[in-house]
Amino acid sequence: MTVKLGFVVAEFNRDLTYMMEIEGEEHAKFLGAEVTERIYVPGAYDMPLAIKKMLKENKVDAVVTIGCVIEGATQHDEIVVQHAARKIIDLSLEFDKPVTLGISGPRMTRLEATERIDYAKRAVESAIKLVKRLK
C-alpha cells in the first residue's frame, strides 16, 4: 500500500520552507510514500482552511504541514503557532486522518530555523507511521 500524502506549505520564509518541502518529499519517497496533493498558503496561520479542503476531497491518507515561524519583536510568532497547531489537531480529529505538524517555531532565530529544516522529515515520517498503524 502506497501512502498518499498531501502537503500544505507556507510561503512565508519561503527560502526555508522550500528546503523543508524538498527534504520532506525526498523522505516520503525514501519511505515508499507519495506526495499526491499540494497547496501553498501565505503562512502557517492560513493552513487550516487548506488542510480542511484537502481532507474533504478525500484524495490523501494524511496531510503534512510545512512551515517556519521565526521570532519577531512581539509575541506574534507564539500566537500564530499556537492557534495553527490547535486547529490542525481539531481537523485531524474531525476527519479521522493524520495531520502532522511540520512547522518549526516559535521563539527561534533564522539560524535556528535553518538547523530545524528536518522538521518536515519528522512530520512526513509521523504521517506515514500513523496511516499504517491506524488502518
Side-chain angles (χ1 to χ4, degrees), residues 25-125:
E25 187 162 15
E26 286 176 358
H27 198 53
K29 286 178 190 171
F30 174 74
L31 295 173
E34 184 182 357
V35 179
T36 59
E37 302 286 321
R38 202 177 308 248
I39 298 176
Y40 296 95
V41 296
Y45 190 82
D46 309 301
M47 288 180 168
L49 188 58
I51 294 165
K52 186 171 186 173
K53 179 182 181 351
M54 199 175 277
L55 291 170
K56 269 185 169 180
E57 291 175 354
N58 205 26
K59 295 179 184 175
V60 296
D61 300 308
V63 176
V64 175
T65 61
I66 296 175
C68 173
V69 182
I70 294 174
E71 185 174 39
T74 65
Q75 292 182 336
H76 180 75
D77 59 317
E78 291 181 39
I79 293 166
V80 166
V81 174
Q82 201 171 65
H83 288 285
R86 178 70 233 168
K87 194 36 95 173
I88 287 165
I89 292 165
D90 291 345
L91 288 165
S92 180
L93 294 172
E94 179 184 339
F95 287 90
D96 287 323
K97 287 193 176 183
V99 181
T100 58
L101 191 64
I103 302 170
S104 59
R107 285 183 276 168
M108 68 178 181
T109 64
R110 181 163 278 282
L111 179 60
E112 290 168 330
T114 303
E115 293 167 354
R116 294 179 182 151
I117 287 169
D118 69 333
Y119 274 37
K121 285 172 63 175
R122 292 182 194 174
V124 164
E125 194 163 322

